[in-house]
Each structure stands twice: as structure tokens, then as C-alpha cells.
Amino acid sequence: MKNDIMSYCGDEVLDAADKNWDGANKKSKFGRFAVVAAAALVGAGLIAAFAVAMAQRNVVTPPPDTADVLTTVTDATTDSSTEDDNYVRTDSDFGLIFTKSKGSESVYVVSGTAGGGAEAAPPKVEFRVEGIIVKVKQKSVHEDVFTSLSGGMKYRLMSFDVLDVVRGENVPDTILYLVPEFYYVDLSGYDFLYMSLMQRGFEGFLMKDVTTNELCEFQSPVFTTSVENPALGDVIAFNNGVFDESLWQNENWFYGYQFARYMMEDYPDELVVKRGCTEQYMLDRIKEKLGELQISEKDAPVVFYAATAPEELKAALEYVNSGTFRCEMHGKQVWYQRYINGCPTNESFYIRLIDNTVKYGNVTFTEADMNGLYNLGAEVERLSAQYKENVPNPPHFDPGEKELLSLKVEGYYDKTDKGVLQFITTTWTYVTRENNTYYYDQTFTIYENKEAREISREDLSKLTGHDMSIIGENYKYGEGIEMPWC
């Protein structure tokens, strides 16, 4: 069986795709900068694999109705029936439903910060007129912190009353907005704001509440700014009828503001606002920008709702209810990946909203497949707790005086012709700062018949049918990889 390569793409790849979503846009005079690829240290080969897998999929018959196993399991399984399975609480203010989390896909036991890379390149600052454009007033802020099912970026959740819709169709009266935690700032002190948004999810969209360690299901659409960094121009504040620059000057947004300030002083015609400008001036500039980009009103983004989805998509959206699925929405494409016990699997499919088609992968987990699976999510949490107490040494080389940059434990379920492979990957990343050189090591542990055994990357590659660069780091263990400085 040729397994689903796309399912191996982790948050490092998807976050990079999010951050560079607007990379094809025409750049301003200020925005002509080279971007260094050093940020793609982990999973660099997965981006190409992701693109190939997406391009080569064929439309097939939807998988049969299945359900995650919730009963009749051994003590080795999860998704087992416990009192926690019936636990549900709701948050009516934000339209959220919470259930108990069943483990973690991955845990960074040690997590450091790499130097250099694409983040050091000057960013493009603009109000992205291609997005959903709304005039809003802050309503409330959720006290918890959220992540995607696979962890990664941490978010705060805010709600806004919609005062006017400049661009977009089917926009709800209340905007649920995910802002990266670092960029969160109280916006209640402004008379109103204009935001350029993209839809991140719709009814049934799942996230993890890391404050309470619960799964969180949204009952209405949720949005982010067009680029998930609001400090780069997609949020504009007004007070007393004029543009209020103080929002961009807050401490957490100052990195973006230093470039925005330069543009306001040296290239003011490239922004949609200028110091002291009125709301009408900004609206006129937005209209001019749309004209320059030759974007017509008929191309306005349409907010998608599962409840009003066309008939062609209903079977796929119903199938998502058969278990736990991570959802990633990018423009007119929605990608789903099945999770079991908090860990990803190689079952995935995606929906194309541009033509209302569904493209399924070639792997489907049935009830029989999930009966008796080892609880990898709980094992990831157990191992990570153990390693935090006593960090293990890498098995294939002596790091000496090298700095441990990260130690990550992650679980995965991979269905093959011979059954479901259940394995945990532990990855060590070391760095020598003086020459910006990185060193990797990994172990792979397979769980079967209530026992655990280590396996080589080569043998795991043979069992899964995946190239070794998809299974793990595509480097010789302990061999230095020198990365360019910015």
C-alpha cells in the first residue's frame, strides 16, 4: 500500500505555509527582500512531498461509515469507554463545546530558539485588501490559550461585533478571531477597528485548550488576520474619527511597527492609511488598491458554513463526525487528518470549495483497525514527563559540549496492508552557535502486542513504505549541518 505522505506534514510545515501564504503577491518598493531558507530546518523535504501528494490525488468513493472505538477495548487501548468520555461542557459566550483530551501528539521536552533564518528578513507591511474586510468593535476575550490539535502556535480567542462589512459575503454578525498569543493586545480602548481576515475554520472545527487540556469544538466560523501576524498591517484602529497609530506602537507589535513607521514616513502612498487620516480616506485607498490588483467584487471571499454546504460535500462533512479530525483551512481548500488518542494517523482527505469536490486519500481507519490500539497519546505524555526529570542522551553520537536546542517526543498511527503501525519518535536537535551548525539524532519505538521495541529508521521506512526523509530527519545522525547566516 502506498501510504498518505501528506499526513506526515507537521506544524513546522503548515505554519510556514501560513506565514508565506501571501508570498506570491506583488511586492512594494519596500518589500523587495530576499528570504533565507534556513528556517526550514525541520521537515524541509516535507514541503515538496506535501505538494506532490496534493497534486496527485484522485477523487474516489467516500470511505464507509466508521467510528472511533469507544467501547470493548483492552487495557492497552485508548478511545476506551471511561467516565471522561461522557464529559462535556459548553461556553455559550463563544459558542464552544469542550470535551476531555485523550493525550498529546507531541511534546517538546526541551525547546530552544534557533538563530538566523527567514524571521530575520524584513517583513512586508500592508493591509491585505484581498481578504474579508470588516469594521468591528471588541466584544470579549476568552481567558484560555488554544493550539491546533498538533500543538505549535499558541492563540488567544477574541470576539468582535461586526459594525460593517466592506468586503466579503455571508460574514457573521460576530467575528471569532484567533490571534497568536504573543501578539494579543486589548483592543477595547478603540472606537472601532478595520481588519483584513481569512477564514480558519467553521462548525465542527477543533482546537486544543492548553489551559484546561481539553478538546474545543467551534460552533461557528473562526478567523485569523490574512497573515497570522496582526502587527504587519492587517488591523487598523480609529479613535475620534482618525487613524490611531498607538495600536501599532504597543510593545508586542513593535517589530512590525518599525517597518510600518518607515513606510509612513518614506512611502506613505503604499499604505491604506497615513497619519491623521480619516476613515473615508482609508476606504478610498482600499478601493484604489483593489483596482490596482484588478480584483472585482465578484471575487470577494465567501464565508463557508457546514450547515449550508452543497450536497456534494455533505457526505464528507458527516464523515468527519465519525472521529477526531484535525482541520486546516487555506482559502478554498480544507484539509482533514484523522487523530486517534490525540495522535495523527495517515488517514486524510481534502475538500476543494472552488468546485465542491472531495479528494480522499487511500487509507481509511475502520472500527476493527482501532480496536486494541496502544494509547500513544498517554505514552507521549508519560515519556515526556520522564525525560523532563532526566534528559536522555542521544543514542547514536556523543554531543560533547554542543547545546541541546530541542528534544521532542511524538506519536503516530500508520495503517499499512499488514495492519496499523504504532510508533513514537524521539528527536534530539543540537546546535553549535559559533558556526550555526545543527546535529540530529532520533529513536523510533514501535508498540505492538502490549510491548515496545526500538526499530531503525531504515526498517521503519520499509514497514511503512515511506521514504526515510518522510519518516524522520534526512540527515546522518550526529553529522553537522551548517546553516547560512542571514
Side-chain angles (χ1 to χ4, degrees):
M1 177 184 293
K2 183 181 178 182
N3 283 338
D4 188 353
I5 294 175
M6 184 173 67
S7 298
Y8 279 90
C9 290
D11 259 16
E12 292 87 354
V13 174
L14 292 171
D15 286 348
D18 285 345
K19 293 174 183 176
N20 293 287
W21 196 253
D22 67 328
N25 291 346
K26 181 179 179 182
K27 292 186 177 181
S28 66
K29 297 175 187 175
F30 182 67
R32 298 187 182 105
F33 300 102
V35 177
V36 180
L41 294 175
V42 181
L46 298 186
I47 298 176
F50 179 84
V52 171
M54 295 292 275
Q56 293 182 342
R57 291 180 181 279
N58 297 313
V59 178
V60 298
T61 305
D65 289 338
T66 61
D68 284 357
V69 179
L70 299 176
T71 58
T72 316
V73 293
T74 69
D75 56 4
T77 67
T78 54
D79 279 355
S80 57
S81 180
T82 68
E83 292 182 4
D84 286 349
D85 291 328
N86 298 318
Y87 170 86
V88 176
R89 71 178 180 92
T90 60
D91 184 334
S92 57
D93 290 339
F94 287 84
L96 306 177
I97 298 176
F98 294 90
T99 56
K100 288 291 185 183
S101 175
K102 295 185 177 182
S104 296
E105 167 194 357
S106 60
V107 175
Y108 275 100
V109 179
V110 177
S111 181
T113 302
E119 292 180 352
K124 183 177 182 181
V125 179
E126 65 173 335
F127 186 83
R128 290 153 184 84
V129 297
E130 305 95 323
I132 298 167
I133 302 175
V134 289
K135 177 182 179 180
V136 297
K137 173 71 176 176
Q138 180 175 310
K139 183 178 180 180
S140 56
V141 179
H142 203 286
E143 61 184 11
D144 292 352
V145 176
F146 301 84
T147 68
S148 75
L149 293 191
S150 58
M153 184 86 74
K154 292 182 178 181
Y155 296 91
R156 295 295 302 276
L157 178 62
M158 308 176 72
S159 68
F160 295 87
D161 289 320
V162 175
L163 307 179
D164 192 18
V165 177
V166 177
R167 189 165 187 270
E169 298 180 19
N170 295 340
V171 177
D173 294 332
T174 299
I175 291 291
L176 294 183
Y177 169 59
L178 289 168
V179 58
E181 183 182 27
F182 176 81
Y183 295 110
Y184 165 72
V185 61
D186 181 16
L187 301 174
S188 61
Y190 298 98
D191 292 343
F192 56 86
L193 306 106
Y194 278 86
M195 304 178 77
S196 175
L197 303 171
M198 64 179 180
Q199 188 174 1
R200 178 71 181 269
F202 43 87
E203 309 101 302
F205 178 71
L206 291 176
M207 296 193 79
K208 189 169 183 177
D209 185 328
V210 296
T211 303
T212 61
N213 194 30
E214 295 171 311
L215 284 181
C216 169
E217 180 179 334
F218 287 75
Q219 301 303 297
S220 58
V222 61
F223 303 85
T224 62
T225 42
S226 292
V227 174
E228 288 196 5
N229 181 343
L232 296 182
D234 279 330
V235 180
I236 297 175
F238 282 82
N239 262 331
N240 301 317
V242 297
F243 164 55
D244 192 333
E245 195 175 339
S246 68
L247 172 59
W248 292 359
Q249 295 169 336
N250 83 79
E251 181 181 3
N252 287 357
W253 290 23
F254 194 78
Y255 175 75
Y257 175 67
Q258 63 183 321
F259 303 106
R261 178 176 57 190
Y262 173 79
M263 292 184 69
M264 283 189 290
E265 293 172 353
D266 288 32
Y267 299 100
D269 293 340
E270 294 198 15
L271 296 175
V272 299
V273 291
K274 63 181 180 181
R275 288 180 175 135
C277 78
T278 64
E279 177 183 4
Q280 189 58 52
Y281 172 88
M282 187 202 68
L283 293 172
D284 291 341
R285 287 290 294 128
I286 289 174
K287 187 177 294 185
E288 290 175 10
K289 288 280 188 181
L290 288 168
E292 291 170 7
L293 296 171
Q294 298 182 334
I295 299 175
S296 68
E297 281 303 312
K298 68 179 181 180
D299 297 321
V302 180
V303 177
F304 179 79
Y305 295 82
T308 57
E311 287 296 326
E312 306 95 294
L313 303 182
K314 287 185 177 178
L317 294 173
E318 273 297 315
Y319 180 65
V320 172
N321 295 326
S322 71
T324 300
F325 281 83
R326 174 186 178 187
C327 172
E328 294 291 338
M329 186 174 186
H330 298 286
K332 296 289 186 179
Q333 188 159 280
V334 186
W335 174 60
Y336 284 100
Q337 179 182 21
R338 183 185 286 275
Y339 270 58
I340 299 174
N341 303 324
C343 295
T345 73
N346 61 330
E347 178 183 357
S348 63
F349 68 93
Y350 74 97
I351 296 172
R352 285 168 46 94
L353 298 179
I354 196 168
D355 57 7
N356 294 327
T357 58
V358 184
K359 295 190 177 182
Y360 292 96
N362 47 20
V363 172
T364 302
F365 276 76
T366 66
E367 183 172 325
D369 294 326
M370 292 182 283
N371 188 21
L373 293 182
Y374 199 91
N375 188 341
L376 293 183
E379 183 68 359
V380 165
E381 293 181 340
R382 187 191 70 79
L383 285 174
S384 62
Q386 175 184 322
Y387 293 164
K388 285 177 182 178
E389 292 293 325
N390 186 17
V391 176
N393 291 322
H396 300 111
F397 76 101
D398 181 1
E401 298 301 315
K402 299 176 182 67
E403 175 188 344
L404 178 59
L405 183 65
S406 68
L407 174 58
K408 187 179 184 182
V409 183
E410 51 195 328
Y412 201 91
Y413 295 97
D414 190 286
K415 182 177 177 179
T416 71
D417 289 333
K418 296 181 180 180
V420 179
L421 284 172
Q422 309 164 70
F423 61 92
I424 285 178
T425 303
T426 304
T427 304
W428 291 257
T429 303
Y430 287 84
V431 63
T432 53
R433 300 282 185 179
E434 58 270 18
N435 57 6
N436 207 35
T437 300
Y438 292 78
Y439 307 81
Y440 298 95
D441 204 349
Q442 287 184 309
T443 60
F444 301 92
T445 305
I446 285 185
Y447 294 81
E448 55 188 358
N449 300 322
K450 300 185 182 181
E451 295 182 352
R453 64 183 176 92
E454 288 195 9
I455 187 172
S456 70
R457 178 172 56 182
E458 292 78 8
D459 287 343
L460 184 59
S461 174
K462 292 175 184 177
L463 288 175
T464 62
H466 294 303
D467 183 84
M468 285 191 296
S469 65
I470 302 300
I471 294 297
E473 294 300 339
N474 194 24
Y475 305 114
K476 182 178 179 181
Y477 297 140
E479 183 177 88
I481 309 296
E482 188 171 348
M483 305 304 296
W485 296 100
C486 288

